[in-house]
Amino acid sequence: MAKQIVANIRKSSSLIVLARDKIKAEKQTDYKVLMFKRPPQATFMPNSAVFPGGVLETHADETPLWRKHFDNMGVSKLQLSLLTQGTGKKSDIFTKENPESLERELSLRIATVREAFEELGVIFCRDRKSLTDGSDDGYGKFKEDFDRQHWQKLVHDDATQFLKLCETLEIVPDLWSLYEWSNWVTPATFKKRFNAAFFVIVLKTIPDLIKEKHEVSEFAWKTPAEYLQQHFKKEIWLPPPQFYELSRLLNYSELEQFKKFAQKRSAEGLEAILPIERKCNDSRVNLLPGDDLYDNPNSSTDLVPTHKTAKEYRNGVKNVHRIEFYDSNDMVVQLNIKPPHGHLTPINTNPKKHE
């Protein structure tokens, strides 16, 4: 993707949090996913069910002062370099503009840990012991034994306080347990647009949460299938990236196996997913990279009509990768190609199928 396509879009990050469920019925998913509902007064996607996350605050998340803190905590250059390596090509969101700033692989992770703490009072972190004892098993770590409500308000009001919090508690954000997952960009038909890096973190236990009343109406821990069922029943509304990613998670019912996959896949790179929106006679279609009809994603800010039904628009296309929206809660991913970078294929659980 050309850099100019996303140059004027706000960079952000989201975190898909999976935690082991203590109660697992036979042959069912042994983990749950954290999501929360945006309040009705939210300026972007109000009332939607989303993963934790928010905008990259460069003055707070990319400041070179983080390097000094890492050094004071005994974090080696090798430990940090593990986050910037990989065999696959990375999307442009990881390209930093300021040579003095932190690498984007670091700052985007810091941003998503900070945002999760602002929104839900959970801080994913490591202390001196867990940084050096060699006991890293790939699962995320978090800390609860401090005045979280006090610090949550401070950080919510001033993002630079997050570094101060880490210095005070002698911790660093648990960047190593955040695995690169995907990169979604808001379509050109939207006035407010974001370029969001998605990470995943896997936890052994469900943490205690404290919701921030201005950003979170309610939160929940449910399986991917439960969220998708709620969506189809119109009990919640999932934005397209959340819908797509939850459909991917259906490939794994065991948390340990998912963790192993996420660790391995995170080194294989990412491709930015910038949907191209089209208006069909019976639906709205988001063309995604790899689809034969995917062209210039920023060619028009208008919703271009196809004068066809979604099925007619799909017929005869050899390589298909798109999301079809028949109404706000009736959507399906159409995909007949192998996802790039070793990724998972979304599973269709829409009761109407739309084949």
Side-chain angles (χ1 to χ4, degrees):
M1 177 180 293
K3 292 184 179 180
Q4 63 266 25
I5 290 178
V6 295
N8 61 343
I9 304 174
R10 299 191 74 183
K11 295 174 178 64
S12 62
S13 57
S14 291
L15 186 59
I16 305 174
V17 184
L18 288 71
R20 190 176 303 283
D21 188 7
K22 292 182 179 179
I23 303 174
K24 179 199 173 187
E26 186 178 0
K27 296 183 180 180
Q28 290 184 352
T29 304
D30 71 353
Y31 65 87
K32 291 186 176 179
V33 180
L34 172 62
M35 300 193 80
F36 71 85
K37 185 178 179 182
R38 292 186 185 276
Q41 67 271 19
T43 59
F44 186 74
M45 298 289 183
N47 297 310
S48 59
V50 298
F51 305 122
V55 172
L56 174 73
E57 302 288 357
T58 55
H59 67 291
D61 305 321
E62 293 196 329
T63 173
L65 292 175
W66 279 106
R67 290 196 183 98
K68 180 180 179 181
H69 179 58
F70 289 138
D71 186 57
N72 290 339
M73 287 293 295
V75 179
S76 68
K77 291 182 179 179
L78 175 61
Q79 285 175 300
L80 293 177
S81 70
L82 294 174
L83 300 171
T84 61
Q85 297 173 351
T87 58
K89 182 180 178 180
K90 293 192 177 184
S91 58
D92 287 336
I93 193 171
F94 292 106
T95 302
K96 64 179 182 177
E97 291 88 9
N98 185 342
E100 298 300 318
S101 299
L102 286 185
E103 289 75 8
R104 277 282 163 75
E105 290 89 348
L106 307 182
S107 62
L108 285 166
R109 283 176 166 88
I110 291 171
T112 200
V113 172
R114 173 183 55 75
E115 285 286 347
F117 180 65
E118 288 184 27
E119 294 164 337
L120 294 161
V122 57
I123 185 165
F124 302 111
C125 62
R126 297 192 184 189
D127 55 19
R128 293 182 187 276
K129 182 176 183 298
S130 58
L131 281 168
T132 58
D133 63 7
S135 61
D136 187 7
D137 56 6
Y139 286 90
K141 299 171 177 58
F142 54 90
K143 183 178 179 63
E144 297 179 329
D145 57 343
F146 66 100
D147 192 346
R148 289 190 289 152
Q149 287 184 315
H150 168 73
W151 279 105
Q152 183 184 33
K153 185 178 186 309
L154 287 180
V155 176
H156 181 267
D157 294 342
D158 179 3
T160 63
Q161 289 295 311
F162 187 60
L163 173 56
K164 179 67 175 178
L165 165 62
C166 292
E167 291 172 337
T168 302
L169 298 182
E170 296 189 345
I171 57 174
V172 297
D174 188 4
L175 310 182
W176 299 268
S177 299
L178 271 66
Y179 305 120
E180 292 177 14
W181 186 253
S182 60
N183 176 198
W184 287 84
V185 185
T186 314
T189 49
F190 283 68
K191 291 183 178 180
K192 195 169 186 177
R193 303 178 66 192
F194 297 90
N195 181 12
F198 281 64
F199 300 91
V200 295
I201 189 170
V202 181
L203 309 176
K204 290 183 177 179
T205 59
I206 294 178
D208 176 53
L209 302 181
I210 304 172
K211 71 174 184 177
E212 205 292 316
K213 61 182 180 180
H214 299 293
E215 296 195 49
V216 180
S217 291
E218 56 187 76
F219 64 82
W221 293 93
K222 298 181 184 294
T223 66
E226 287 173 330
Y227 283 123
L228 290 165
Q229 289 168 6
Q230 284 189 302
H231 173 80
F232 293 130
K233 292 178 181 179
K234 299 188 176 182
E235 296 172 358
I236 62 172
W237 181 71
L238 297 168
Q242 279 73 11
F243 176 82
Y244 192 103
E245 299 302 352
L246 287 169
S247 299
R248 270 179 168 165
L249 294 180
L250 294 173
N251 285 278
Y252 283 92
S253 61
E254 295 184 4
L255 188 66
E256 176 65 21
Q257 295 305 311
F258 173 82
K259 177 180 68 70
K260 291 179 179 178
F261 170 81
Q263 285 177 301
K264 179 178 180 295
R265 201 233 62 80
S266 64
E268 298 189 28
L270 292 176
E271 177 178 351
I273 304 174
L274 172 44
I276 300 175
E277 294 211 300
R278 293 291 183 261
K279 177 70 175 69
C280 289
N281 293 341
D282 60 346
S283 61
R284 190 171 179 143
V285 174
N286 277 11
L287 301 173
L288 304 178
D291 194 291
D292 283 347
L293 300 185
Y294 190 86
D295 190 10
N296 184 349
N298 262 9
S299 60
S300 175
T301 58
D302 298 323
L303 186 60
V304 178
T306 66
H307 307 294
K308 298 179 180 180
T309 66
K311 187 173 183 179
E312 291 170 342
Y313 191 50
R314 195 183 341 123
N315 283 346
V317 179
K318 181 180 179 181
N319 298 303
V320 175
H321 188 200
R322 57 186 67 178
I323 308 175
E324 297 172 350
F325 306 83
Y326 294 88
D327 67 33
S328 59
N329 290 77
D330 182 7
M331 62 178 74
V332 61
V333 178
Q334 303 285 2
L335 176 64
N336 67 3
I337 59 177
K338 185 178 180 180
H341 309 291
H343 228 312
L344 299 172
T345 299
I347 294 176
N348 179 16
T349 56
N350 189 323
K352 298 180 182 179
K353 297 300 181 183
H354 297 296
E355 297 177 349

